[in-house]
């Protein structure tokens, strides 16, 4: 019999701890998740959460004790990773089980960020500016450009990497003040996954983090404004276009119907978009769709790459396919294929320790527990009628944003 269980605790300092005991696991994964990302920023400080991640979680920038402890873990074979997203900042360590006490003590040292050396700030500033140049010159920018077109220049519409002018001027005082404001126990969660004793582990964390206290700070709730627009950048012979439709947030059950609709449209060799646009008409080189839900909002995006001459025809084919689903629905074969693919992907999560850890952490930030069988049940519960209904609800031009690399905004407007 297969079953999952987790243990949860709220420490005296208001930090949440989640322990998922996986007895079959031979290694250990530990993540610190801070509820702070670009969703909490505005145009004046866009990029500061990413800058703080570099200062707090980069090995070279830590205080001497934390730097030594991280170095010892790396020497013992541990894997270390830090990441900033729209809704959170995380630091994850994967190692052998016997190093759990060392990992806990290391994380408790990492949060002691103060008296940042000016030379380290300047060094990291140069690194981040290079990262920004690389980022905006790569295909990674596509997703965030689509979100900018969907939500505008605030909250989820802001680029995680930040505004380059802001990156160039962030001061030591701004970084340290922001860290104190958002990096508090009440805004932080630790997730541990492996064959460990939950009570013993929670006790170790409580002891290691006893010094850390939450201040009475009332952070404003991030506001999400849906303002679909058209945003095109560049001028090239080929265009990468993304059509984005406002959809349900993570907390809505409709996100599962949106995910299946997305897969039916553009996931895999048998998807409608791939068969029609590439195989039958030879209009595009690549085409796919994806659904993404945040705590604040969600969307479905259709992305394709074609020659500039084929852009108008390709876009019309996309909208005709959507229109057909809205009018006639999807077939039994389509929904079952999409459902099976989603379930297979979900069942694979526990086989990837880091993915499993981060999925648990992400769900917990939304005050939800991640269990494989719950996700499978929700996917099995979606009907063809619900897929058709979500297509009707979402896929309307008044609910759509367009973004593109390779052509300007004026050219995109002519598609509408």
């Amino acid at each position: 019999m297969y079953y999952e269980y987790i243990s949860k605790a709220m420490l005296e300092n208001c930090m949440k701890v989640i322990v998922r005991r996986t007895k079959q696991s031979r290694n250990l994964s530990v993540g610190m998740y801070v509820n702070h990302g670009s969703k909490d920023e505005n145009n004046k400080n866009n990029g500061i959460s990413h800058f703080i991640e570099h200062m707090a979680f980069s090995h070279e920038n830590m205080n001497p004790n934390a730097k030594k402890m991280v170095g010892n873990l790396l020497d013992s074979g541990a894997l270390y990773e830090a990441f900033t997203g729209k809704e959170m900042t995380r630091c994850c360590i994967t190692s052998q089980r016997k190093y759990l006490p060392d990992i806990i003590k290391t994380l408790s040292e990492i949060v002691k960020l103060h008296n940042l050396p000016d030379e380290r700030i300047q060094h990291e500033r140069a690194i981040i500016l290079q990262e920004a140049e690389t980022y905006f010159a790569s295909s990674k920018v596509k997703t965030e450009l689509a979100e900018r077109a969907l939500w505008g220049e605030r909250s989820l519409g802001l680029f995680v990497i930040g505004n380059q002018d802001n990156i160039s001027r962030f001061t030591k005082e701004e970084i340290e003040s922001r860290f104190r404001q958002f990096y508090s126990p009440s805004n932080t969660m630790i997730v541990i996954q492996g064959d460990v004793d939950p009570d013993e582990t929670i006790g170790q964390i409580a002891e290691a983090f006893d010094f850390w206290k939450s201040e009475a700070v009332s952070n404003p709730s991030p506001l999400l404004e849906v303002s679909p627009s058209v945003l095109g950048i560049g001028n090239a012979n080929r265009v990468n276009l993304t059509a984005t439709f406002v959809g349900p947030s993570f907390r809505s059950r409709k996100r599962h119907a949106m995910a299946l609709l997305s897969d039916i449209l553009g996931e895999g060799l048998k998807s409608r978009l791939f068969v029609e646009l590439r195989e039958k008409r030879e209009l595009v080189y690549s085409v796919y769709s994806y659904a993404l839900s945040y705590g604040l909002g969600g969307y479905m995006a259709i992305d394709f790459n074609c020659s500039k001459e084929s852009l108008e025809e390709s876009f019309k084919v996309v909208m005709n396919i959507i229109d057909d689903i809205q009018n006639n629905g999807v077939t039994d074969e389509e929904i079952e294929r999409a459902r099976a693919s989603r379930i297979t992907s979900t069942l694979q999560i526990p086989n990837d320790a880091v993915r499993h850890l981060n999925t648990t952490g992400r769900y917990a930030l939304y005050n939800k527990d991640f269990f494989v069988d719950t996700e499978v049940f929700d996917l099995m519960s979606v009907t063809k009628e619900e897929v058709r209904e979500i297509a009707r609800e979402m896929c309307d031009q008044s609910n759509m944003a367009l973004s593109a690399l390779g052509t300007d905004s004026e050219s995109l407007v002519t598609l509408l």
Side-chain angles (χ1 to χ4, degrees):
M1 179 181 292
Y2 174 82
Y3 61 91
E4 299 179 278
Y5 63 94
I6 60 176
S7 300
K8 295 191 285 187
M10 179 68 73
L11 304 186
E12 189 176 353
N13 63 3
C14 296
M15 186 172 73
K16 183 185 292 185
V17 180
I18 296 177
V19 180
R20 183 188 289 273
R21 189 169 193 177
T22 52
K23 293 187 177 182
Q24 75 279 10
S25 180
R26 301 178 67 180
N27 61 9
L28 179 77
S29 298
V30 183
M32 175 184 286
Y33 299 84
V34 183
N35 185 12
H36 182 231
S38 57
K39 70 173 175 23
D40 304 294
E41 300 171 352
N42 55 44
N43 279 322
K44 292 182 179 180
N45 58 26
N46 183 211
I48 196 166
S49 58
H50 179 255
F51 206 121
I52 290 174
E53 176 233 303
H54 275 249
M55 299 310 303
F57 295 146
S58 174
H59 176 235
E60 293 299 319
N61 298 327
M62 297 173 182
N63 69 63
N65 285 340
K67 183 177 180 180
K68 180 179 179 181
M69 295 170 81
V70 170
N72 289 339
L73 285 170
L74 293 174
D75 290 341
S76 69
L79 305 177
Y80 182 86
E81 177 255 359
F83 168 82
T84 306
K86 299 272 180 165
E87 296 188 299
M88 68 175 173
T89 304
R90 71 171 185 248
C91 168
C92 300
I93 302 173
T94 301
S95 78
Q96 299 173 45
R97 288 195 303 264
K98 63 182 179 180
Y99 295 111
L100 175 59
D102 297 326
I103 294 173
I104 293 173
K105 292 176 183 177
T106 298
L107 292 175
S108 71
E109 281 294 323
I110 286 176
V111 299
K112 297 176 182 178
L113 181 74
H114 55 82
N115 296 325
L116 293 170
D118 288 330
E119 62 271 19
R120 294 309 308 171
I121 294 176
Q122 297 308 322
H123 169 81
E124 214 60 37
R125 191 192 314 279
I127 296 296
I128 296 171
L129 285 170
Q130 290 188 63
E131 181 183 355
E133 290 179 4
T134 302
Y135 184 86
F136 286 108
S138 72
S139 60
K140 295 178 183 178
V141 75
K142 289 193 303 180
T143 298
E144 292 208 74
L145 190 67
E147 294 177 347
R148 170 66 60 86
L150 193 64
W151 288 311
E153 295 186 13
R154 68 181 302 174
S155 190
L156 295 179
L158 292 173
F159 285 76
V160 172
I161 194 71
N163 180 296
Q164 289 174 287
D165 291 337
N166 291 345
I167 297 169
S168 299
R169 65 163 183 77
F170 285 138
T171 65
K172 171 182 176 178
E173 290 72 22
E174 285 178 287
I175 295 168
E176 291 183 345
S177 173
R178 187 81 174 187
F179 182 87
R180 289 192 301 270
Q181 179 183 357
F182 284 92
Y183 280 67
S184 65
S186 62
N187 212 36
T188 302
M189 173 177 57
I190 290 184
V191 180
I192 297 182
Q193 202 160 263
D195 187 10
V196 298
D197 180 84
D199 290 337
E200 180 182 338
T201 300
I202 291 169
Q204 292 175 345
I205 294 173
E207 181 179 355
F209 284 87
D210 183 60
F211 72 93
W212 203 24
K213 306 300 180 184
S214 288
E215 299 181 11
V217 177
S218 179
N219 294 322
S221 299
L223 299 176
L224 184 65
E225 290 185 350
V226 179
S227 53
S229 62
V230 172
L231 183 59
I233 298 176
N235 183 19
N237 292 328
R238 296 197 67 83
V239 177
N240 201 111
L241 183 136
T242 307
T244 314
F245 301 90
V246 179
S249 72
F250 184 88
R251 294 179 176 88
S252 171
R253 183 183 175 276
K254 291 183 178 181
R255 68 183 173 91
H256 297 289
M258 176 177 70
L260 294 181
L261 171 63
S262 173
D263 289 354
I264 290 168
L265 280 169
E267 174 61 30
L269 302 180
K270 289 188 174 182
S271 65
R272 289 202 185 191
L273 291 170
F274 186 88
V275 170
E276 192 66 31
L277 283 166
R278 174 165 165 153
E279 296 304 299
K280 288 185 177 179
R281 299 175 183 256
E282 301 177 354
L283 289 172
V284 304
Y285 170 70
S286 65
V287 59
Y288 61 92
S289 60
Y290 61 93
L292 185 56
S293 290
Y294 294 108
L296 294 174
Y299 66 91
M300 182 183 73
I302 295 172
D303 183 284
F304 64 84
N305 185 292
C306 67
S307 66
K308 186 166 290 187
E309 292 75 18
S310 301
L311 178 60
E312 183 176 355
E313 183 180 358
S314 300
F315 180 72
K316 285 181 179 178
V317 173
V318 168
M319 299 308 294
N320 287 339
I321 290 173
I322 291 174
D323 184 67
D324 181 63
I325 290 178
Q326 289 174 327
N327 291 324
N328 303 310
V330 299
T331 67
D332 290 332
E333 179 186 358
E334 286 177 323
I335 193 170
E336 293 309 320
R337 181 170 59 243
R339 197 195 315 275
S341 176
R342 282 274 163 177
I343 290 174
T344 298
S345 179
T346 301
L347 293 175
Q348 287 177 335
I349 292 176
N351 299 324
D352 184 332
V354 175
R355 184 184 176 196
H356 200 188
L357 176 79
N358 287 327
T359 302
T360 299
R362 180 169 182 253
Y363 275 54
L365 282 175
Y366 302 141
N367 295 314
K368 184 177 175 66
D369 296 325
F370 171 74
F371 291 114
V372 167
D373 287 289
T374 301
E375 295 298 302
V376 171
F377 178 82
D378 288 339
L379 288 167
M380 290 298 297
S381 300
V382 178
T383 65
K384 288 195 304 179
E385 291 71 24
E386 288 176 314
V387 173
R388 181 183 181 185
E389 182 59 33
I390 198 70
R392 287 176 168 177
E393 183 180 315
M394 289 175 50
C395 301
D396 181 87
Q397 287 202 11
S398 64
N399 206 36
M400 178 182 68
L402 291 181
S403 59
L405 300 175
T407 191
D408 55 29
S409 301
E410 290 74 15
S411 298
L412 291 180
V413 170
T414 63
L415 298 177
L416 303 176

